[in-house]
Amino acid sequence: MKTPSQPRAIYYIVAIQIWEYFSFYGMRALLILYLTHQLGFDDSHAISLFSAYASLVYVTPILGGWLADRLLGNRTAVIAGALLMTLGHVVLGVESDSTWSLYAALAIIICGYGLFKSNISCLLGELYAPDDSRRDGGFSLLYAAGNVGSIAAPIACGLAAQWYGWHVGFALAGVGMFIGLLIFLSGRQHFRHTRGVDKPALRAVKFALPTWGWLLVMLCVAPVFFTLLLENDWAGYLLAVVCVFAAQMVARIMMRNPEHRRALWQIVLLMLTGTLFWVLAQQGGSSISLFIDHFVNRHLLDIEVPTALFQSVNAVAVMAAGVALAWLVRPEGSVRSALRVWLKFAFGLALMGGGFMLLALNARRGELHDQASMGMMVAGLALMGFAELFIDPVAMAQITRLNMPGVTGVLTGIYMLATGAVANWLAGVVAQRTTESQISETAIAAYGHFFSQMGEWTLGVVVAIVAVIIVRRMLSSTAVCLPETPQD
């Protein structure tokens, strides 16, 4: 049977998604290295700024989604987000070592990411009818496109930064985003049926100004606001306020749906466990990147491999692990769904813990031989990348199984807030344990101890999850085998 073809518009969405990932992950691969090498930040300051930036880009999509739903439409929001991200990368690409321009550039990218990130998926969803069988294939294509961009970006931007300078690497990320935007705009005729700007709502006057006027005010104020947050390290305060509101939303959902309370508690536990996982996974952009830069022997055939290139290992591992995806969609068999979900989570955490133990072993090797092994580093990062397949896809599938209209989207957003914004901020707090005033033998020992502790704690959580699963299975089997009580 012939597979129905995808809508033409999807190819323009895929193109801009590839280049958005290229720009974001290209800049992300360079950022902490730029802070330490070019601006002279110590490791502690660099990690704090990196984690604040990485957490804020997962907070702003909440507001970006709200603006798209009520005023702009998904397509206009995506275009505006891409323009802002291009501008932010251009500011980074200007030859300047001013910290103010750095904060301003990151703030602009944060605003652009907020308009782009959630709305590109919503725009893709507009291409299909609710019962269209092509929808799943379209989202799979979008996911694969992102991985292509995240593989290519650290390689291209890392080499450009090493050969021509940091600002060329950042500028290349911006050029990539602009190319993606031009391709997307060239296909505008294929998006005529999608929801556009709500012009009456934009013209409506509120508090002496039309809504479009307030949007312009917000466009000017938001970058300044995020610049101040980054400069003063206040991101944690904003995140705390957002998390309080998110917790209240979850509590209200539970109170209004008592019949689903057990399933909702499982979602909450998945969120907490997923946050733990991503606190560990996000070390790749901060503490692990600094460890590679300081201590790993990166020479291969008389060529020094740029540190930024190691950021591609994770995405390559995800792309190469298609076999795991096939396993994830197998029939459940005799194992109950809830237990199967936690077994997959436990396996993902076990892989992550194993990856950290491998990095700890590599750090010990570095203490003995002055430099850590590049091969062991790649193996550890690949193991961590493979682990991702057993966390987010499983959790998102479980959330979407809830038969609760009007709730699934909210819970998905809160899950992304927890595993994106909260996890990135906590990752910076955790990574501070690796910092030392000088790069020395003491520092590599600190990294080894840190990696070992992360691995041990993660494997401890795995043991706890498996123990609970075994106890529940035993109790369930005992309940089934109990004889019925005779009735009088």
Side-chain angles (χ1 to χ4, degrees):
M1 185 175 70
K2 185 178 179 181
T3 303
S5 60
Q6 290 287 342
R8 288 290 300 275
I10 192 176
Y11 301 109
Y12 297 94
I13 293 176
V14 164
I16 197 171
Q17 178 83 339
I18 290 173
W19 287 108
E20 184 271 324
Y21 267 66
F22 180 92
S23 68
F24 181 80
Y25 283 94
M27 189 278 289
R28 180 180 180 271
L30 299 179
L31 180 57
I32 202 161
L33 303 173
Y34 173 71
L35 297 177
T36 53
H37 284 270
Q38 186 69 18
L39 298 185
F41 285 23
D42 59 34
D43 287 4
S44 178
H45 188 186
I47 288 172
S48 294
L49 178 57
F50 180 89
S51 63
Y53 162 75
S55 66
L56 289 174
V57 295
Y58 285 97
V59 172
T60 50
I62 299 172
L63 179 59
W66 184 86
L67 288 173
D69 286 343
R70 284 162 176 76
L71 297 172
L72 300 178
N74 294 312
R75 180 173 177 270
T76 302
V78 165
I79 293 171
L83 282 170
L84 286 172
M85 285 190 285
T86 301
L87 176 61
H89 287 103
V90 168
V91 174
L92 272 177
V94 173
E95 193 70 35
S96 170
D97 292 334
S98 164
T99 55
W100 177 257
S101 66
L102 167 71
Y103 295 135
L106 295 179
I108 294 169
I109 294 171
I110 287 167
C111 294
Y113 200 76
L115 285 167
F116 187 98
K117 186 60 179 176
S118 58
N119 295 319
I120 190 69
S121 297
C122 295
L123 180 62
L124 178 60
E126 283 193 73
L127 304 183
Y128 306 99
D131 57 348
D132 195 328
S133 61
R134 300 174 296 171
R135 179 183 294 267
D136 288 350
F139 276 91
S140 296
L141 187 60
L142 190 69
Y143 178 78
N147 276 316
V148 170
S150 58
I151 289 171
I155 298 172
C157 296
L159 290 174
Q162 178 165 298
W163 293 342
Y164 306 109
W166 295 104
H167 298 285
V168 176
F170 288 128
L172 181 60
V175 168
M177 186 71 260
F178 190 64
I179 290 172
L181 177 59
L182 291 178
I183 295 172
F184 182 74
L185 291 174
S186 70
R188 60 185 178 277
Q189 69 273 18
H190 300 295
F191 294 93
R192 288 172 182 164
H193 65 288
T194 60
R195 186 165 52 86
V197 174
D198 188 341
K199 294 181 181 178
L202 283 176
R203 295 192 189 105
V205 176
K206 294 182 179 180
F207 305 106
L209 277 180
T211 303
W212 63 262
W214 287 113
L215 276 179
L216 289 178
V217 171
M218 183 185 298
L219 182 62
C220 296
V221 170
V224 177
F225 173 71
F226 287 113
T227 298
L228 293 173
L229 287 183
L230 293 171
E231 185 180 24
N232 296 284
D233 198 18
W234 291 342
Y237 298 112
L238 175 64
L239 192 56
V241 172
V242 174
C243 287
V244 168
F245 280 107
Q248 289 179 340
M249 292 177 69
V250 173
R252 284 200 298 268
I253 291 171
M254 285 189 172
M255 288 188 290
R256 292 174 183 172
N257 302 274
E259 70 278 12
H260 294 288
R261 197 164 292 168
R262 183 174 180 179
L264 288 168
W265 272 115
Q266 180 178 328
I267 298 300
V268 170
L269 290 174
L270 288 175
M271 288 181 183
L272 294 174
T273 311
T275 301
L276 166 66
F277 175 88
W278 283 105
V279 167
L280 301 169
Q282 295 299 347
Q283 297 301 316
S286 55
S287 63
I288 293 176
S289 186
L290 290 172
F291 173 76
I292 294 170
D293 191 57
H294 296 332
F295 301 115
V296 172
N297 180 5
R298 294 180 282 113
H299 288 88
L300 180 66
L301 302 176
D302 296 327
I303 300 173
E304 186 178 38
V305 179
T307 302
L309 268 65
F310 288 83
Q311 297 289 318
S312 294
V313 174
N314 183 282
V316 170
V318 173
M319 289 285 283
V323 124
L325 290 176
W327 183 83
L328 285 172
V329 298
R330 288 191 311 174
E332 293 183 7
S334 60
V335 183
R336 289 187 302 168
S337 177
L339 296 183
R340 198 167 65 93
V341 166
W342 284 106
L343 279 173
K344 290 174 184 177
F345 254 61
F347 187 65
L349 286 168
L351 290 172
M352 180 60 70
F356 268 101
M357 296 305 290
L358 195 56
L359 297 192
L361 184 63
N362 199 18
R364 300 284 189 271
R365 182 186 184 279
E367 286 186 74
L368 296 174
H369 302 285
D370 295 329
Q371 286 186 309
S373 163
M374 181 164 59
M376 289 180 68
M377 200 73 229
V378 170
L381 292 174
L383 206 59
M384 294 175 178
F386 184 45
E388 289 183 26
L389 294 169
F390 299 90
I391 304 297
D392 275 1
V394 177
M396 296 301 291
Q398 197 68 6
I399 292 173
T400 55
R401 284 193 184 101
L402 290 173
N403 186 21
M404 299 172 63
V407 169
T408 302
V410 174
L411 291 177
T412 300
I414 294 174
Y415 178 83
M416 293 180 68
L417 173 71
T419 58
V422 176
N424 270 290
W425 188 81
L426 289 176
V429 175
V430 171
Q432 292 292 347
R433 300 186 59 189
T434 65
T435 58
E436 296 285 342
S437 59
Q438 294 180 344
I439 304 306
S440 62
E441 292 181 3
T442 306
I444 193 171
Y447 276 102
H449 183 64
F450 172 74
F451 293 148
S452 180
Q453 278 196 323
M454 294 300 99
E456 289 166 1
W457 278 100
T458 307
L459 295 176
V461 172
V462 172
V463 171
I465 292 173
V466 172
V468 171
I469 291 173
I470 292 172
V471 170
R472 287 197 62 184
R473 292 283 289 171
M474 290 175 64
L475 291 176
S476 177
S477 301
T478 304
V480 170
C481 295
L482 284 177
E484 293 184 7
T485 305
Q487 301 291 326
D488 292 334

